[in-house]
């Protein structure tokens, strides 16, 4: 089956045609698997997570009519993967790119006096959005790929057509700028 | 920091940011990212600076609230200031996409991070508490100043509104407020549908994820206040105030004002995504622009007094370009190919837009896109993101993509037809750069006999630098020049300053430092290959070319036309040592090959099977081609694989087993003895054997000795990102050596590649500026045993 565009996929879902699931898995399965795997660090768990996400997608469309399948599905996958990770690693940090990404950014987000504590996740999240608004589109994309999707540096470099060194430096500078921004906002 | 905190923070990232990232395609975005930025409003640029600039509007606003009577205090001038901190009454002009342009006596103020707001998918998240805007002087100057208004200020094109404490107020220019209505959500847009009928939009938290109702509502003023929650954001009225028109996907409906859910279908543009580019309505006709593969079709549908279809659609015109649709406005902007030259054109003729081009006497603004954008032309096949305003005195519109000199906005004075370009970083080009002169004088420098020159016009043997991990090449050198041949340019090795000049091969496009276009030029060890006219040529020192492969037909007699080679990953030498096989990526008859091996001796092309996403990493060794990060499904539809080797038919044969645990996009080295060094999903260093499929955990030290290993040489080279140093280690000696320390952390350092000649290692390293990607320096190290030498050419400041 050739790849379908978002509108065609949406039509299949709206018609309750199960070919929608096969087509979605074919087109986005690996993409979702990477997101889940980056968070969970375990292929088997990631595959289960993707299956769950497809089921959730099936149940949500209709009535949902997502504007972009890739973005919509990635949100579902990430949320499921985070929930699964939270449940599995309640006491101990697991492996995977998630841990690496968290280690990178925790110094930026956490209070310097109390590194274990974050002042207000809602306020920081909202400030983060405002901060991302100020970034060039590519820098914002790189940041989101790293800390929202937990993609590896290598993946991001391949996706953006940049060197790994450049991606790392972009992230470093963005984290530094975010740290300053949060300080200005009184959030760290 | 707790994981859950991290998750919670990241979960709040808005949809638009996620979409931007998830749909990001580096290769495709290189040329279009400026468009994307503008499509989100120029705010990305503006807001970048705006965060450090005082929030003038809101401060004035607060000040006024503290002193609503406007009585003078010690600061006698402050009551003169309007909400933007300027002088005079604020006027509002409604743009073609519901954007508002504010102005006062001195300035224009153009909000940039609040779009039309017709669809919350365009923004996501809750309505903002502030907005960025560009401010520029009405007369004089060329620079827009990014600023922030800290507060909720709205306009329907006529009146100003403020919102706070869950209340909407009508306000004057200085912030004197009159209560209007209680509104439970922060609104982001107000649209006047009639004298007492308004449409209010707001975004609420996560409405796009959890499917919560869209807070689109109608507002009757004065009187009933908010009523009729509505599901569609793109609405119009015909000015009479009795009928609502709205769009849902590609359908346009009408409905009575008092019963907006009793809809009547007026037009259906089909199932294709975004099939309606724009639409408008007057009391007698519905106009809309249907988009198809062939361009834009301008359609008109007559309506009866009950807002029902009265007759058949009539096609006004077909166009290959988008023509702004503002029936009642006095200007239009077209954006199309004029002959072979793309132009952007403004017609302030005073005639209605329909039919398009009916009057074309006046063209106060006409510029070719090449002037504006050089080679980075916006895509003419899509509707450009442009916002138009027609004020009493000016026509103002945003460009769909920032110009090469920073042009973002064009302002035309109607009376004089004077035209000004504006931009945050716009620099009017008064004089041409001096590079042209030097470029023209360079060819005269080559005065020696042609026989001294190699195929690239330099002297000595051409040696190409090969990427450590991917086998790619892009830089080469000879005795005289270093070549950045992906960009069709070269620089002299001596002289200290890095000055690029275009390659002089006639088939190479003119040097353009801003162009990412890669000419079909490939350089092997001493051999220059060129693809043009469906033929692969070897270029000789005297400039002649020998056809190595006629790409019209392969040896099997099958047509093999329109081969486009995107990239050469590597070469396999034949018995004579010359490249016998090319490993490439490209397309044939516009179908992607993914990866393919071309035998230069037989002319056969073997396509390598790839998974649906095509692996990122191919490895070419002397006797085999591998793909890493390869996934495919087995009979149980489980993902397996990781590393595959291709057989002679191009079929992928699994090499790794699930036990290898190959992660996404591994950085791996495959040695000639069939050993692959990589890190698994758990970041553990491993080595695998491609023959017996075994895998063994190795020490970090052993891994590091191999992972940065230069094939064919017993040494490692790597970038220590933390220390910002280029390091080198000879495997036969102890300790590592710093080849170079880069003092400026703002630079990106890239190992461009290496080659080994007679046991001597040559490594090319470049430094770039991050933001501008300007090349700062190119350094080539030569390592002969323990002796290290280098030459460096640097870009003059």
């Amino acid at each position: 089956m050739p790849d379908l565009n978002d509108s065609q996929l949406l039509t299949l879902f709206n018609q309750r045609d199960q070919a929608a699931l096969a087509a979605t898995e074919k087109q986005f399965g690996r993409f979702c698997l990477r997101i889940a795997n980056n968070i969970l660090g375990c292929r088997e768990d990631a595959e289960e997570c993707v299956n769950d996400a497809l089921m959730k997608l099936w149940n949500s469309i209709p009535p949902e009519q997502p504007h972009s399948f890739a973005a919509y599905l990635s949100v579902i996958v990430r949320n499921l993967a985070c929930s699964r990770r939270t449940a599995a690693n309640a006491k101990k940090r697991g492996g995977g790119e998630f841990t690496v990404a968290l280690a990178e950014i925790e110094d930026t987000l956490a209070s310097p006096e109390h590194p274990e504590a974050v002042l207000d996740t809602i306020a920081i999240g909202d400030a983060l959005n405002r901060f991302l608004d100020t970034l060039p589109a590519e820098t914002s994309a790189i940041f989101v790929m790293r800390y929202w999707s937990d993609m590896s540096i290598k993946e991001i470099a391949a996706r953006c057509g940049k060197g790994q060194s450049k991606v790392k430096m972009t992230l470093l500078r963005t984290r530094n700028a975010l740290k300053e921004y949060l300080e200005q906002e009184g959030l760290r | 920091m707790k994981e859950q905190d991290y998750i919670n923070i990241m979960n709040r990232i808005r949809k638009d940011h996620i979409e931007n990232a998830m749909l990001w395609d580096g290769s495709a975005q290189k040329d279009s990212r400026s468009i994307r930025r503008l499509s989100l409003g120029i705010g990305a640029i503006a807001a970048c600076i705006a965060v450090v600039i005082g929030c003038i509007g809101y401060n004035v606003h607060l000040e006024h609230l503290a002193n609503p009577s406007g009585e003078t205090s010690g600061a006698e001038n402050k009551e003169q200031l309007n909400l933007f901190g300027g002088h005079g009454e604020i006027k509002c002009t409604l743009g073609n996409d519901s954007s508002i342009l504010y102005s006062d006596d001195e300035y224009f103020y153009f909000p940039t991070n609040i779009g039309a707001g017709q669809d919350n998918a365009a923004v996501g998240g809750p309505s903002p508490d502030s907005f960025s805007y560009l401010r520029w002087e009405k007369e004089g100057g060329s620079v827009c100043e990014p600023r922030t208004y800290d507060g909720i200020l709205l306009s329907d094109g006529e009146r100003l509104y403020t919102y706070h404490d869950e209340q909407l107020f009508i306000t004057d220019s200085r912030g004197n407020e009159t209560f209007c209505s209680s509104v439970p959500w922060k609104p982001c847009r107000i649209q006047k549908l009639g004298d007492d009928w308004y449409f209010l939009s707001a975004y609420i938290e996560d409405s796009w994820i959890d499917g919560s109702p869209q807070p689109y509502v109608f507002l009757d003023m004065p009187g009933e206040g908010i009523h009729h929650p509505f599901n569609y954001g793109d609405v119009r009225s015909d000015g009479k105030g009795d009928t609502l028109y709205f769009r849902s996907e590609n359908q346009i409906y009408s409905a009575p004002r008092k019963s907006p859910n009793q809809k009547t279908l007026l037009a259906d543009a089909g199932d294709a995504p975004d099939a309606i580019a724009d639409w408008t309505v007057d009391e007698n006709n519905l106009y809309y622009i249907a988009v198809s593969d062939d361009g834009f079709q301008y359609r008109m549908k007559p309506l009866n007094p009950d807002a029902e279809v009265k007759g058949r659609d009539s096609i006004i015109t077909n166009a290959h370009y988008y023509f702004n649709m503002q029936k009642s406005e006095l200007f239009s902007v077209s954006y199309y190919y004029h002959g072979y030259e793309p132009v952007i054109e403004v017609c302030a003729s005073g005639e209605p837009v329909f039919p398009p081009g009916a009057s074309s006497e006046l063209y106060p603004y006409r510029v070719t896109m090449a002037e504006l954008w050089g080679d980075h032309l916006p895509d003419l096949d899509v509707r450009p993101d442009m916002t138009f305003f027609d004020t009493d005195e000016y026509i103002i519109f945003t460009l769909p993509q920032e110009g090469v000199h920073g042009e973002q906005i064009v302002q035309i004075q109607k009376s004089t037809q004077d035209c000004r370009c504006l931009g945050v970083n716009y620099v009017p080009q008064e004089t041409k750069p001096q590079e042209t002169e030097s470029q023209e004088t360079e060819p005269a420098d080559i005065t020696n006999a042609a026989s001294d020159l190699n195929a690239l016009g330099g002297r000595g043997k051409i040696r190409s630098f090969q990427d450590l991990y991917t086998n790619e090449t892009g830089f080469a050198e000879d005795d005289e020049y270093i070549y950045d041949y992906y960009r069709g340019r070269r620089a002299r090795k001596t002289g200290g300053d890095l000055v690029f000049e275009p390659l002089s091969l006639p088939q190479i496009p003119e040097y353009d430092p801003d162009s990412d276009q890669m000419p079909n030029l490939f350089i092997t060890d001493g051999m220059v290959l060129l693809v043009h006219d469906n033929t692969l040529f070897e270029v000789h020192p005297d400039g002649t070319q020998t056809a190595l492969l006629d790409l019209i037909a392969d040896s099997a007699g099958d047509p093999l036309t329109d081969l486009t080679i995107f990239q050469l990953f590597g070469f396999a030498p034949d018995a004579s040592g010359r490249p016998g096989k090319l490993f490439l990526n490209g397309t044939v008859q516009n179908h992607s090959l993914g990866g393919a091996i071309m035998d230069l001796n037989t002319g056969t092309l073997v396509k390598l099977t790839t998974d649906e996403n095509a692996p990122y990493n191919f490895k070419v060794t002397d006797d085999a081609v591998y793909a890493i990060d390869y996934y495919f499904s087995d009979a149980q539809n489980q993902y397996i694989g990781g590393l595959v080797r291709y057989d002679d038919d191009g079929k992928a044969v699994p090499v790794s087993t699930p036990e290898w645990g190959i992660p996404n996009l591994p950085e791996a080295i495959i040695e000639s003895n069939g050993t692959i060094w990589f890190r698994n999903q758990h970041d553990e260093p491993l080595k695998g054997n491609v023959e017996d499929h075994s895998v063994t955990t190795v020490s970090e030290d052993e891994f590091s000795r191999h992972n940065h290993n230069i094939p064919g040489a017993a040494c490692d080279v790597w970038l220590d990102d933390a220390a910002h140093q280029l390091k080198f280690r000879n495997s036969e000696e102890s300790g590592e050596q710093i080849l170079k320390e880069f003092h400026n952390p703002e630079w990106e350092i890239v190992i461009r590649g290496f080659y080994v000649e007679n046991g001597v290692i040559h490594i090319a390293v470049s430094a770039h500026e991050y933001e501008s990607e300007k090349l700062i320096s190119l350094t080539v190290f030569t390592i002969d045993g323990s002796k290290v030498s280098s030459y460096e050419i640097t870009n003059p400041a």
Side-chain angles (χ1 to χ4, degrees), chain B residues 253-324:
Chain B
Y253 298 91
S254 66
R257 168 182 171 177
K258 294 296 182 186
S259 305
N261 293 320
Q262 294 177 8
K263 60 186 182 184
T264 301
L265 180 65
L266 300 181
D268 185 345
D271 296 330
D274 301 321
I276 295 180
D278 205 351
W279 65 288
T280 191
V281 66
D282 66 13
E283 57 187 24
N284 295 315
N285 296 299
L286 165 71
Y287 299 97
Y288 67 103
I289 303 174
V291 184
S292 70
D293 291 341
D294 298 327
F296 299 95
Q297 194 171 66
Y298 291 72
R299 289 173 166 268
M300 183 187 75
K301 195 178 282 281
L303 305 176
N304 66 22
D306 293 328
E308 295 166 338
V309 176
K310 189 171 74 177
R312 296 176 59 187
D313 255 22
S314 57
I315 299 172
I316 298 171
T317 187
N318 288 299
H320 293 292
Y321 55 89
Y322 180 73
F323 204 91
N324 179 43

Side-chain angles (χ1 to χ4, degrees), chain B residues 42 110 134 136 144 396-399 406-411 420-423:
Chain B
I42 306 176
F110 175 46
L134 296 179
W136 69 92
C144 299
I396 294 169
F397 60 95
T398 63
L399 294 171
E407 299 95 332
Q408 293 175 307
I409 293 169
V410 177
Q411 176 178 317
R420 284 168 61 199
C421 287
L422 299 135

